[in-house]
């Protein structure tokens, strides 16, 4: 007897389709086209969906369940219920950067403090429906945190693989949820290669960003849906998004296109910008050189969550940046640190190095005339600064250390 996924396991999703040649494959733990090895993505047959139906849903990503590859009863499956994070009107940061209308989509407040909880919730649903035995990932840190937490809550064994030089807080934030945190002596690209080998050898392992990557990637669409809904069901003019594998950026674009097609927002032109660190800039380099091929790099940057030297979706990021008249820009580690501190001091939001990259790139895009400061702009803060404390620990600290009496306070002259 066949024990395939139950009926409706993937909601309105109907197939996996190849991004390169359009070949369609059944929904399942597949990620490469059998014809051309191109990446597969989820294709849907959407029914009519109204704003009111979405607004009546829960205050998490499942309000968009009709637009995701998840079953209609997804709310019954334990997961971390991420999403519907704040969209902050960032007047102070806007004034500092010279941008008239600026918002920060603050995904640092997700259950494990990064946007990865969104993608993991969708991957977990697929893993459950496919009957997977182990929930796993190669990770630059945040993904491992999200996988370990979601697996714990769902009662599924997890195994998460990270580069051994990862920030300590990110290691602890995984190990607190799982006994199987594996530190690999190598960079992320080495860890990723190992994960592909394990996925091919071990039966029933769902590697969220490898063999269930098409389902995983769809979770990032919810960032775009939320931005549109929180702006009052309309699209912004410009969005700035950090780029590691590039998946998130491509899915925010996909989400905007779907909202237009479904008539949930008015069609309009918008620009999508990608943000990278100079110490890991393969997509920014290709963008500036005007070439289509991405040459892998060996990462060396404090933005470890963005340190993917051979980004799987890099070529699609290039396409989208060019098609929408956006750009992919890069900043140095010094600028990243300054970006973290600037966001904290202007908006009271403590971001990690990825967010510092996004803020600093936004500044550079304005200064170089690539981003129009008169247009409505949203930047995405993808993670929390408490996970990358070391990045700024030398730059901020006590203004003075004083004896516990008023004279000492006065003498310190801190006002
Ligand atoms: C993973 C990650 C990203 C980049 O995501 P991709 O979809 O791989 O481009 C950005 N910011 C943070 C904090 C991340 O953890
Ligand atoms: Zn193909």
């Amino acid at each position: 007897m066949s024990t395939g996924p139950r009926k409706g396991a993937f909601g309105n999703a109907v197939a996996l389709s190849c991004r390169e040649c359009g070949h369609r494959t059944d929904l399942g733990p597949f990620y490469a086209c059998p014809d051309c090895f191109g990446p597969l993505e989820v294709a849907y047959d959407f029914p009519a969906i109204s704003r009111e139906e979405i607004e009546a849903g829960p205050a998490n990503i499942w309000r968009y369940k009709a637009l995701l590859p998840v079953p209609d009863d997804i709310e019954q499956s334990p997961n971390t219920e991420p999403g519907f994070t704040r969209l902050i009107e960032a007047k102070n940061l806007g004034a500092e950067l010279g941008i008239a209308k600026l918002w920060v989509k603050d995904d640092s407040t997700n259950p494990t403090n990064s946007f990865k909880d969104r993608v993991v919730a969708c991957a977990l649903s697929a893993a459950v429906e496919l009957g997977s035995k182990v929930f796993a990932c190669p990770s630059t840190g945040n993904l491992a945190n999200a996988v370990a937490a979601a697996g714990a809550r769902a009662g599924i064994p997890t195994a998460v693989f990270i580069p051994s030089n990862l920030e300590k807080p990110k290691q602890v934030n995984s190990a607190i949820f799982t006994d199987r945190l594996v530190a690999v002596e190598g960079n992320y690209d080495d860890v990723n290669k190992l994960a592909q080998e394990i996925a091919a050898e071990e039966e029933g392992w769902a590697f969220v960003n490898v063999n269930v990557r098409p389902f995983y990637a769809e979770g990032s669409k919810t960032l775009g849906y939320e931005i549109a809904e929180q702006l009052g069901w309309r699209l912004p003019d410009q969005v700035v998004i950090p780029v590691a594998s590039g998946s998130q950026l491509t899915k925010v674009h996909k989400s905007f296109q779907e909202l237009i097609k479904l008539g949930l927002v008015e069609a309009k032109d918008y620009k999508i910008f990608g943000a990278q660190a100079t110490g890991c800039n393969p997509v920014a380099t290709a963008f500036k050189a005007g070439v289509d091929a991405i040459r892998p790099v060996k990462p060396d940057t404090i933005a470890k969550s963005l340190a993917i030297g051979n980004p799987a979706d890099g070529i699609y990021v290039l396409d989208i940046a060019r098609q929408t008249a956006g750009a992919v820009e890069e900043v140095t580690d010094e600028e990243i640190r300054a970006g973290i501190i600037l966001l904290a001091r202007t908006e009271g939001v403590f971001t990690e190095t990825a967010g510092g990259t996004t803020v600093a790139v936004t500044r550079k895009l304005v200064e170089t005339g690539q981003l129009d400061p008169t247009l409505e702009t949203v930047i995405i803060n993808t993670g929390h600064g408490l996970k990358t404390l070391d990045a700024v620990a030398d730059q901020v600290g006590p203004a003075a250390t004083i004896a516990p009496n008023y004279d000492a306070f006065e003498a310190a002259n801190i006002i």
Side-chain angles (χ1 to χ4, degrees):
M1 200 185 84
S2 139
T3 55
R6 69 193 167 116
K7 200 166 181 303
F10 304 110
N12 295 316
V14 291
L16 295 174
S17 88
C18 174
R19 285 198 70 150
E20 290 299 324
C21 75
H23 177 92
R24 288 203 163 198
T25 308
D26 284 347
L27 292 158
F30 316 118
Y31 61 105
C33 174
D35 277 2
C36 77
F37 301 107
L40 299 174
E41 76 172 337
V42 177
Y44 301 86
D45 188 2
F46 290 131
I49 296 160
S50 71
R51 293 175 180 177
E52 291 71 26
E53 281 170 77
I54 291 170
E55 287 165 357
N60 59 50
I61 62 169
W62 303 137
R63 69 203 280 111
Y64 309 106
K65 67 185 176 185
L67 306 172
L68 298 169
V70 300
D72 197 49
D73 61 0
I74 183 66
E75 284 120 302
Q76 262 76 67
S77 302
N79 59 74
T80 62
E81 289 91 31
F84 222 60
T85 56
R86 304 183 296 170
L87 182 70
I88 300 167
E89 200 174 347
K91 289 198 173 134
N92 299 332
L93 180 63
E96 191 64 39
L97 299 179
I99 300 174
K101 285 187 181 161
L102 179 67
W103 289 264
V104 176
K105 177 63 172 165
D106 184 15
D107 247 24
S108 69
T109 59
N110 273 313
T112 68
N113 303 104
S114 85
F115 95 95
K116 291 296 197 308
D117 293 309
R118 298 175 183 273
V119 279
V120 165
C122 290
L124 177 65
S125 174
V128 168
E129 299 295 342
L130 293 166
S132 308
K133 292 186 306 218
V134 181
F135 195 47
C137 67
S139 171
T140 56
N142 285 315
L143 183 59
N145 299 170
V147 164
R153 184 150 155 71
I156 296 179
T158 52
V160 297
F161 299 77
I162 55 164
S164 56
N165 74 346
L166 201 63
E167 300 101 330
K168 189 80 179 168
K170 284 190 183 150
Q171 298 194 28
V172 175
N173 267 296
S174 288
I176 196 74
F177 301 118
T178 182
D179 282 340
R180 285 184 223 89
L181 167 68
V182 182
V184 179
E185 292 162 348
N187 60 29
Y188 173 80
D189 299 285
D190 301 317
V191 182
N192 188 34
K193 239 177 264 154
L194 171 63
Q196 299 200 12
E197 271 177 54
I198 301 172
E201 291 291 328
E202 301 287 333
E203 185 112 353
W205 282 49
F207 274 95
V208 300
N209 50 343
V210 181
N211 54 355
V212 290
R213 186 174 181 86
F215 301 93
Y216 155 94
E218 291 295 290
S220 283
K221 292 192 306 182
T222 59
L223 268 165
Y225 300 148
E226 287 177 22
I227 289 168
E229 183 178 349
Q230 290 169 322
L231 285 174
W233 292 108
R234 59 195 182 83
L235 302 181
D237 299 312
Q238 305 177 122
V239 193
V240 188
I241 305 170
V243 171
S245 75
S247 175
Q248 176 182 177
L249 184 146
T250 67
K251 294 300 171 170
V252 169
H253 177 59
K254 187 181 184 190
S255 74
F256 287 174
Q257 291 301 308
E258 287 176 347
L259 291 178
I260 291 171
K261 254 186 232 130
L262 287 162
L264 290 164
V265 299
E266 229 168 81
K268 70 181 270 190
D269 289 332
Y270 54 84
K271 300 179 186 182
I272 296 205
F273 297 87
Q276 292 207 299
T278 297
C280 184
N281 61 356
V283 189
T285 302
F287 181 84
K288 288 184 213 182
V291 298
D292 291 333
I294 289 179
R295 188 180 297 169
V297 302
K298 226 175 156 145
D300 180 14
T301 169
I302 58 167
K304 292 188 195 292
S305 56
L306 302 181
I308 297 183
N310 188 12
D313 290 298
I315 52 169
Y316 303 113
V317 169
L318 279 179
D319 275 355
I320 291 166
R322 286 174 179 148
Q323 267 173 36
T324 66
V328 186
E329 190 49 275
E330 62 181 64
V331 286
T332 64
D333 285 359
E334 267 328 291
E335 292 171 300
I336 293 169
R337 289 193 180 92
I340 294 173
I341 294 169
L342 179 62
L343 181 60
R345 297 278 164 111
T346 52
E347 300 299 340
V349 172
F350 188 12
T351 185
E352 71 146 74
T353 45
T357 305
T358 307
V359 170
V361 159
T362 304
R363 161 164 268 169
K364 192 164 176 184
L365 288 167
V366 174
E367 286 169 0
T368 54
Q370 298 178 85
L371 186 136
D372 184 340
T374 66
L375 297 180
E376 293 191 340
T377 303
V378 175
I379 68 175
I380 300 181
N381 172 30
T382 48
H384 204 294
L386 286 174
K387 294 194 195 182
T388 60
L389 273 182
D390 282 352
V392 289
D394 291 343
Q395 321 238 321
V396 295
T401 302
I402 63 173
N405 61 64
Y406 187 77
D407 285 350
F409 163 72
E410 253 198 325
N413 202 19
I414 59 164
I415 302 293

